Amino acid sequence: MSRWEPGARERLVVAAVDLFTEQGYDATTVTQIAERAGVTKSTFFRHFPDKRELLVAGQETLSRLLAEGIAEAPADASPLEAVAAGLARASTAMGPMNRDFAPRLKAAVAASAELQERDALKSVSLANAMTTALAARGIPGPTAALAGELGLLAFKRGYAVWSEGDRDAEDDLGGHLVTALDELRAASASLG
């Protein structure tokens, strides 16, 4: 096992999700994950405090990108236009590996109550990142919170459509996220 081989973090995530899918979350050990990824157990713990945290490996980056996109939106952008800018920025962190990986991750989460709980916490964190970034733009609290929640729903819907779509298609995640946000904007307008 190579100690400093590049890509160890990503390999650990892929190995863990594959093992969670194959044998279940509870039956999977940190040692098995490290072995499958071709790293030592100590390398695992340099990257993650425990196996639950593998699910949210990119959460900090995603939250940061969402907030940066919102902060950098034009000053006259509406709250949802700022959210769209955040979604567009966040989509730059997702590529073909994420698209290929998504169905396995979805299956692993669906099979484990503990992973479902961790996924829910991740969702709260992403919505909070958008809400906080909107509030920093001077958007009133309730409006910022609603726009942040709509942004989260758009991210989830757009990501699902993108990840379940044609693997050979040249479409990017950003377009799916903006489409999902536009659909939610129209749906919320019909609530009357």
Side-chain angles (χ1 to χ4, degrees):
M1 286 185 219
S2 173
R3 238 185 124 127
W4 302 108
E5 193 171 332
R9 184 176 178 86
E10 293 79 12
R11 287 195 326 276
L12 284 163
V13 172
V14 171
V17 170
D18 286 346
L19 286 165
F20 295 164
T21 303
E22 292 167 15
Q23 63 191 32
Y25 173 79
D26 292 331
T28 300
T29 67
V30 168
T31 301
Q32 291 171 323
I33 295 167
E35 287 175 0
R36 174 78 64 99
V39 300
T40 64
K41 192 173 172 182
S42 62
T43 298
F44 175 94
F45 287 115
R46 269 197 296 280
H47 291 282
F48 301 100
D50 59 46
K51 67 182 183 178
R52 278 181 311 148
E53 294 304 309
L54 288 155
L55 180 66
V56 293
Q59 178 180 337
E60 288 176 16
T61 300
L62 194 54
S63 292
R64 178 181 49 79
L65 291 172
L66 287 165
E68 286 174 0
I70 289 170
E72 295 170 3
D76 63 344
S78 72
L80 288 182
E81 289 168 343
V83 166
L87 293 171
R89 172 68 68 88
S91 73
T92 64
M94 305 276 189
M97 183 183 117
N98 299 93
R99 192 175 204 169
D100 292 337
F101 183 67
R104 297 190 316 257
L105 180 60
K106 183 179 177 181
V109 170
S112 168
E114 190 170 345
L115 292 180
Q116 290 170 19
E117 179 181 316
R118 191 64 187 99
D119 190 50
L121 291 173
K122 176 182 175 180
S123 293
V124 169
S125 177
L126 294 176
N128 187 52
M130 288 184 274
T131 300
T132 301
L134 289 163
R137 289 176 61 91
I139 307 299
T143 304
L146 180 58
E149 291 293 333
L150 284 173
L152 173 65
L153 288 173
F155 182 84
K156 286 181 165 188
R157 288 173 56 96
Y159 184 79
V161 169
W162 175 72
S163 65
E164 294 166 6
D166 181 3
R167 300 274 182 262
D168 297 325
E170 294 294 322
D171 58 340
D172 69 339
L173 174 59
H176 289 285
L177 299 181
V178 171
T179 297
L181 185 61
D182 288 343
E183 289 169 353
L184 290 167
R185 182 188 332 230
S188 65
S190 72
L191 294 174

